[in-house]
Amino acid sequence: MNIAVLFPGQGSQKFGMGKKLAEKSQDIMDLWIKAEKYSNIPLREIFWESNDNELMADTRNLQPAITVVNLALWHYTKPYIKATCTAGHSLGEFSALAATSVLSVDDTLKAVALRGKLMAEADPEKIGSMYAILRLNAEQVEGFCKEVSESSGKLVRLANRNTPGQFAISGHKEALEEVVEKAQNVGGKCIRLAVSGAFHTPLMAEASAEFSKFLNEIEFHDAKFPVYCNVNGEPLSDAEKIRAMVKKQMTSSVYWIETICNQYENGVRKWFEFGPQGILTRMMRQIITVNEGSDSSFETIHIPNLAEADNYISNNS
């Protein structure tokens, strides 16, 4: 059986995440210390003490913190899992790159600290935003985005293909509001996302260019097992091809439906998600059920914390 390991990104945070595991393992506590050093942010204070939702959702704080939690859970559990491929959703792709040894842990933490800073500062005038759209299909959402972009001259695009019934749109606020109105008129449910800009669009081009300079300076290694990339959902193992794809990630749409479907078509029947909320597990089940049929046979295991990691290890050691 092929086994995939998945890593979530923004929106999967939780107060207190990673604390018990770090208190049990000095190596994992050291990951938090490194992340605080590279980001110059008191991450443990924010996520373990403040219980401030706004602070925890700030992309500068969230990106290094969720990456530490993802990697801590993976490193703690990985001796008991024979992974054959990996993927991460948006920010989570950097956890996937570390899991398959494309990037060192230190370079991963440096990367997400810089990525969070650049994305937070990419839209100082607050011209961009994002919405989640539910209950419509991709063709409807893409059609509305194209129609509004052409009529208004403003940018709006389908940015995240999360499940067959859940998408994210991103772009100029005025254009987003027009798409939302059209979607609601045909029964769509629209939720404004708590983000600081139009992520995964060309409005991130300046931040992406700056981030690419950093990516050129760090070492990429061939993957120990394939990573399915956000920008097209295809598996890659070659270091330089992965670098090229990661450079495009900040301005490209996230093809998550294609990622999961391609893993399934390539024989994956068991998925592990490492992260606090289980968002990707729920999304993955919807994708497989809709695209492969309700009678499809597969298994999902969500490991959100120390207790569940220990439970899995005790049952599989």
Side-chain angles (χ1 to χ4, degrees):
M1 180 187 297
N2 288 334
I3 296 172
V5 291
L6 305 178
F7 299 95
Q10 298 191 143
S12 58
Q13 68 272 16
K14 187 176 183 180
F15 176 64
M17 63 182 188
K19 183 179 181 182
K20 290 183 178 179
L21 186 51
E23 290 174 341
K24 181 174 181 176
S25 166
Q26 185 59 48
D27 287 343
I28 289 171
M29 186 68 78
D30 288 343
L31 290 181
W32 284 96
I33 294 169
K34 284 183 177 181
E36 290 178 336
K37 173 186 174 183
Y38 296 140
S39 64
N40 197 30
I41 295 169
L43 301 172
R44 288 171 291 174
E45 180 181 326
I46 292 170
F47 288 90
W48 296 355
E49 299 175 20
S50 76
N51 204 12
D52 185 319
N53 288 330
E54 186 173 344
L55 271 177
M56 290 190 292
D58 187 315
T59 193
R60 288 163 291 200
N61 307 330
L62 173 56
Q63 293 208 27
I66 198 68
T67 302
V68 169
V69 175
N70 290 350
L71 293 180
L73 290 167
W74 163 245
H75 283 295
Y76 188 77
T77 317
K78 73 176 181 180
Y80 307 91
I81 298 171
K82 295 180 180 179
T84 58
C85 65
T86 185
H89 189 274
S90 190
L91 166 65
E93 187 162 77
F94 289 88
S95 298
L97 295 175
T100 192
S101 299
V102 171
L103 295 180
S104 69
V105 170
D106 282 82
D107 282 343
T108 299
L109 295 178
K110 291 175 185 177
V112 296
L114 177 60
R115 186 178 185 270
K117 178 178 183 293
L118 290 172
M119 291 175 72
E121 297 172 354
D123 185 9
E125 297 179 0
K126 307 298 182 186
I127 63 172
S129 189
M130 297 181 73
Y131 274 85
I133 298 185
L134 291 74
R135 302 175 184 165
L136 301 183
N137 60 44
E139 290 73 20
Q140 289 174 294
V141 178
E142 284 185 311
F144 292 146
C145 289
K146 182 178 180 182
E147 183 180 338
V148 170
S149 291
E150 291 177 350
S151 64
S152 68
K154 299 289 185 178
L155 175 68
V156 58
R157 67 141 59 150
L158 200 166
N160 291 50
R161 301 167 183 267
N162 290 331
T163 77
Q166 182 197 117
F167 304 92
I169 59 172
S170 184
H172 289 105
K173 289 180 179 178
E174 305 96 313
L176 287 170
E177 296 295 339
E178 289 189 49
V179 173
V180 164
E181 183 178 358
K182 291 177 180 293
Q184 290 174 333
N185 286 340
V186 295
K189 180 180 179 181
C190 304
I191 304 168
R192 187 167 184 172
L193 301 180
V195 296
S196 58
F199 300 160
H200 296 293
T201 76
L203 293 179
M204 292 285 114
E206 188 173 335
S208 179
E210 190 65 28
F211 190 52
S212 290
K213 294 178 184 177
F214 169 81
L215 294 176
N216 283 333
E217 296 172 355
I218 61 175
E219 191 170 0
F220 278 64
H221 304 273
D222 290 346
K224 289 187 175 180
F225 43 83
V227 56
Y228 284 69
C229 295
N230 281 194
V231 300
N232 59 10
E234 297 290 338
L236 288 175
S237 295
D238 179 79
E240 291 309 314
K241 290 181 180 178
I242 294 172
R243 190 198 305 264
M245 286 295 180
V246 175
K247 286 182 180 180
K248 298 177 182 178
Q249 195 221 51
M250 202 182 289
T251 56
S252 170
S253 297
V254 175
Y255 287 82
W256 194 250
I257 297 172
E258 290 79 1
T259 293
I260 298 301
C261 286
N262 286 338
Q263 288 181 341
Y264 186 91
E265 292 302 317
N266 289 333
V268 174
R269 293 297 182 270
K270 181 184 285 189
W271 282 264
F272 286 83
E273 178 184 356
F274 296 90
Q277 298 282 13
I279 293 171
L280 301 184
T281 298
R282 293 189 291 273
M283 286 165 51
M284 193 278 299
R285 290 172 181 162
Q286 294 175 42
I287 293 167
I288 298 298
T289 300
V290 171
N291 286 277
E292 306 298 337
S294 58
D295 59 345
S296 301
S297 177
F298 60 91
E299 182 180 1
T300 61
I301 298 173
H302 174 218
I303 298 181
N305 52 40
L306 173 62
E308 289 301 320
D310 280 339
N311 182 58
Y312 178 81
I313 290 169
S314 67
N315 290 329
N316 292 275
S317 59

